[in-house]
Amino acid sequence: MPASSARGRARQLARHGASGRASGRDKGTSPALVCPLILAQAAEIEALSAGHFLTDPTKLANGLRALQGAFGTDVIVTAAADDLAACSVAVTGHPRVTAAVEATRRLAVTAEDAALAAALCGPAQLAAQLGRPPADPAVLEECSAALLALAKAFLEAGAHLLLVVEAGPVSREAADGWRSAVTPLVNVARFRQAAAVVVLADPADAALTPHGAVVCLPPAAAGPGHGIALEPDPAAWLAPALRPAGVPLVTSLGPVRGGFAECRAAVGQLTAALTEG
């Protein structure tokens, strides 16, 4: 596989979304990007606590590079849609944010064989993490502003994919406010020529997704051109209906749970299933 292929596929998603895959133009030439949100497991490689690992940009960059090599994936995840955004709201210049952005910047130069993905929780999930009402349009707007600042930092550092992850359903009363909150995130990714990906637990929310984003849904709900959103528990990956021929990207509905060995085995099975398809 050419060294630039992962980044090339990310650029292709940025230009065309999932439309090229859905129409069959790239069939047989562009395998799905494998991007489950695995990050904290790299702390085991560095023999560090998660707290230390996630706040040290050198250890983080080295550990994520080693994790990619061990798992054989073509995407390195530098932010995993956990509580990073909530940390950035609570503390300006939070060391976790600083480390993640700096690790992205370094890996953009040193990991040329990999695409870099920054996954942020969606505005409704961020509101819930902050103890704010996730259906309030004003709250969603505030969360959007915080997420936009983070997104810009990761994209400027060199991220090739920006994932916005809603691990729960968006309430119907929040629909318009949520779409307005997510639209700037999709737009800034496209402006930076990065792929915008919206990852949803509830297939009904796909209709709210702004134009230009790749939509990832649970396997049973995904149709042609959709990405796949796996459960965070890798034990649930054993037999998903992946539809490899039409899947542009496979990710997860939040940080993947489990230790290094468990996740490595699950990612290996996942990659093999996609390759065989």
Side-chain angles (χ1 to χ4, degrees):
M1 183 177 293
S4 62
S5 63
R7 295 189 180 188
R9 280 178 280 156
R11 285 192 292 269
Q12 188 176 64
L13 281 182
R15 290 193 299 268
H16 304 299
S19 59
R21 299 301 300 267
S23 66
R25 282 181 293 179
D26 305 316
K27 188 173 181 180
T29 61
S30 298
L33 287 167
V34 180
C35 183
L37 303 182
I38 296 173
L39 190 157
Q41 289 79 5
E44 293 185 41
I45 297 175
E46 295 293 320
L48 294 172
S49 67
H52 186 179
F53 175 70
L54 294 173
T55 56
D56 185 321
T58 299
K59 296 293 186 182
L60 184 58
N62 291 344
L64 291 177
R65 183 63 164 140
L67 188 73
Q68 185 232 354
F71 284 23
T73 56
D74 44 20
V75 180
I76 297 177
V77 175
T78 59
D82 50 20
D83 60 350
L84 182 72
C87 291
S88 73
V89 172
V91 178
T92 302
H94 193 285
R96 276 196 59 197
V97 176
T98 302
V101 172
E102 178 57 24
T104 303
R105 193 182 319 279
R106 296 181 188 185
L107 289 166
V109 176
T110 61
E112 295 183 356
D113 58 332
L116 305 179
L120 306 177
C121 64
Q125 186 172 334
L126 176 57
Q129 289 177 352
L130 296 173
R132 308 284 300 281
D136 185 328
V139 171
L140 290 172
E141 185 176 354
E142 291 175 19
C143 290
S144 176
L147 291 168
L148 185 60
L150 266 183
K152 287 179 177 178
F154 280 107
L155 292 166
E156 289 170 2
H160 306 101
L161 300 107
L162 176 69
L163 287 73
V164 180
V165 183
E166 287 289 4
V170 177
S171 65
R172 294 306 94 190
E173 60 268 31
D176 290 342
W178 184 85
R179 182 183 176 89
S180 295
V182 172
T183 296
L185 302 173
V186 171
N187 288 345
V188 75
R190 298 187 71 194
F191 177 76
R192 287 281 178 179
Q193 299 183 349
V197 181
V198 178
V199 186
L200 300 168
D202 187 348
D205 296 332
L208 305 176
T209 304
H211 177 73
V214 176
V215 179
C216 293
L217 300 174
H226 286 145
I228 296 293
L230 300 170
E231 292 294 325
D233 181 0
W237 302 358
L238 294 179
L242 291 174
R243 301 182 184 88
V247 175
L249 182 142
V250 179
T251 187
S252 56
L253 282 162
V256 174
R257 298 192 291 266
F260 176 90
E262 178 186 3
C263 291
R264 182 179 184 181
V267 170
Q269 293 175 348
L270 177 63
T271 303
L274 288 165
T275 302
E276 290 168 4

